[in-house]
């Protein structure tokens, strides 16, 4: 576990707690919450910056874990991904970006590629 702060620890404006590859930022702003602290997730750019500073072996492990996590999509997330893709493809058809191909034409094209 690693604790970083900006300014003095006692009057710190921002602390970052790092443990097990996860980072949580705490900001001291008494007016924002009862106990004077709030937690904020790191932004994508901050995570990307941190990840790119890792040694190559750690970056490779992180990349592998991130790729594996794509296989761990919940049923709700999977359904939303399919709906998003269907909507995107329908929009591409409506805008004329792509053209529909009949099954016969597709088979003809595949056969031509296999020759």
């Amino acid at each position: 576990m690693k604790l970083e702060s900006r300014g003095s620890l006692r009057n710190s404006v921002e602390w970052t707690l790092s443990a097990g590859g996860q980072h949580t930022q705490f900001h001291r702003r008494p007016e924002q919450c009862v106990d004077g602290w709030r937690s904020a997730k790191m932004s994508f750019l901050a995570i990307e910056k941190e990840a790119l500073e890792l040694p190559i072996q750690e970056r490779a492990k992180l990349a592998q874990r991130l790729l594996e996590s794509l296989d761990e999509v919940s049923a709700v997330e999977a359904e939303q991904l399919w709906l998003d893709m269907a909507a995107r493809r329908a929009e591409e058809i409506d805008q004329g970006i792509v053209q529909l191909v009949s099954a016969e034409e597709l088979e003809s094209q595949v056969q031509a590629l296999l020759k």
Side-chain angles (χ1 to χ4, degrees):
M1 190 174 333
K2 180 173 142 184
L3 180 65
E4 298 175 13
S5 68
R6 290 187 180 175
S8 69
L9 193 62
R10 191 173 129 162
N11 297 319
S12 178
V13 172
E14 181 177 303
W15 290 12
T16 300
L17 179 63
S18 305
Q22 295 186 358
H23 305 282
T24 303
Q25 292 180 331
F26 298 92
H27 304 274
R28 192 171 198 300
R29 305 212 192 285
E31 70 280 5
Q32 290 180 334
C33 54
V34 175
D35 64 0
W37 296 95
R38 69 174 174 83
S39 173
K41 293 195 179 239
M42 289 181 71
S43 72
F44 172 82
L45 292 176
I47 293 170
E48 179 183 44
K49 181 181 179 292
E50 290 284 326
L52 291 173
E53 291 175 2
L54 292 171
I56 192 164
Q57 288 181 331
E58 289 183 26
R59 287 196 320 265
K61 278 199 256 184
L62 177 59
Q64 180 180 0
R65 179 64 190 107
L66 289 171
L67 288 172
E68 289 170 355
S69 75
L70 295 176
D71 292 334
E72 300 169 4
V73 177
S74 73
V76 172
E77 290 171 315
E79 182 178 356
Q80 188 60 52
L81 289 170
W82 280 112
L83 291 171
D84 292 346
M85 185 187 332
R88 187 176 62 251
R89 288 184 176 180
E91 188 173 324
E92 289 172 348
I93 293 167
D94 292 343
Q95 293 178 356
I97 296 171
V98 297
Q99 294 180 342
L100 298 177
V101 177
S102 69
E104 294 81 18
E105 187 177 341
L106 177 61
E107 181 158 356
S108 172
Q109 290 175 6
V110 169
Q111 291 301 325
L113 288 172
L114 293 176
K115 288 182 182 180

